[in-house]
Amino acid sequence: MKQSDENKGRFRLSEEDYIRFKSIAAPIAHDPRVMRMQEYIQHGQVTTYDHCIDVARTAFWLNCHFHLGADEHKLVRAALLHDYFLYDWHDKGDHLHGYHHPAIASSNAREDFELTYAEQKMIESHMWPLTLFHIPTSRGGWILMLVDKLCSSGEIINDRYSKISRLF
């Protein structure tokens, strides 16, 4: 896709930052195993894949824009894999998906990719405080945790708003 197609919206990256983001994200984002996340809905009508791309891009933007100092490679990689659980959470499991999926995503990611310890910890702590004992321990972990909540909230609100607006 062209830069203008993918780099729209409130958190628009500079051309230089966009190129850097794509170079970090592409090896994981284009991996066929990761692209399987396109088969699953995350929130509303947003696929898990699109959610992870949005979280990665937004986290990268915040880190660059506010000079937060997180390792951008680790941040983007962890953000792309933070929901790498590879199932439809609406149908599978014991309705405690929010508690369990960080560990499942981390395990799947470790199996399919060479992750650093920091990347594993970012994935495992992204649902804090829901996962009470998995507290973010790095700048990247805190950014990922906050951005995931920001993006998820936006996806849910957008879905609810579109359903309500169709009624009128």
Side-chain angles (χ1 to χ4, degrees):
M1 281 191 174
K2 296 177 199 159
Q3 195 253 4
S4 60
D5 293 337
E6 292 180 335
N7 193 25
K8 290 183 177 177
R10 204 173 337 165
F11 303 113
R12 185 175 168 80
L13 295 167
S14 70
E15 184 74 28
E16 178 183 319
D17 288 343
Y18 181 75
I19 291 167
R20 201 166 68 250
F21 170 76
K22 291 291 286 184
S23 73
I24 297 167
I28 291 178
H30 296 144
D31 187 286
R33 296 166 295 191
V34 169
M35 294 184 83
R36 286 180 46 209
M37 292 192 294
Q38 293 174 330
E39 300 171 21
Y40 308 109
I41 295 296
Q42 181 71 350
H43 306 112
Q45 298 301 311
V46 178
T47 67
T48 305
Y49 180 85
D50 289 338
H51 167 74
C52 289
I53 295 290
D54 193 35
V55 169
R57 194 181 62 74
T58 304
F60 183 86
W61 180 88
L62 279 173
N63 191 47
C64 292
H65 189 76
F66 291 107
H67 309 284
L68 298 177
D71 182 305
E72 58 190 29
H73 284 83
K74 291 175 184 172
L75 176 61
V76 169
R77 287 170 48 86
L80 289 169
L81 296 168
H82 80 278
D83 282 338
Y84 189 58
F85 44 82
L86 303 175
Y87 59 83
D88 183 348
W89 68 268
H90 302 90
D91 296 330
K92 180 185 177 196
D94 55 8
H95 305 291
L96 295 175
H97 169 78
Y99 295 96
H100 300 150
H101 83 270
I104 295 167
S106 178
S107 177
N108 289 345
R110 281 192 318 268
E111 193 173 303
D112 291 346
F113 301 94
E114 288 186 30
L115 295 185
T116 66
Y117 179 77
E119 291 165 344
Q120 291 173 41
K121 291 301 163 195
M122 283 189 257
I123 294 168
E124 292 167 3
S125 66
H126 83 271
M127 287 299 290
W128 187 83
L130 191 62
T131 53
L132 188 61
F133 299 108
H134 295 283
I135 301 169
T137 57
S138 66
R139 290 177 192 205
W142 283 100
I143 294 167
L144 175 56
M145 183 268 300
L146 291 169
V147 169
D148 181 51
K149 286 162 183 45
L150 173 73
C151 292
S152 297
S153 298
E155 292 161 7
I156 292 165
I157 290 168
N158 187 46
D159 182 60
R160 299 297 188 263
Y161 176 76
S162 66
K163 287 178 181 174
I164 291 169
S165 67
R166 285 192 300 261
L167 296 174
F168 299 101

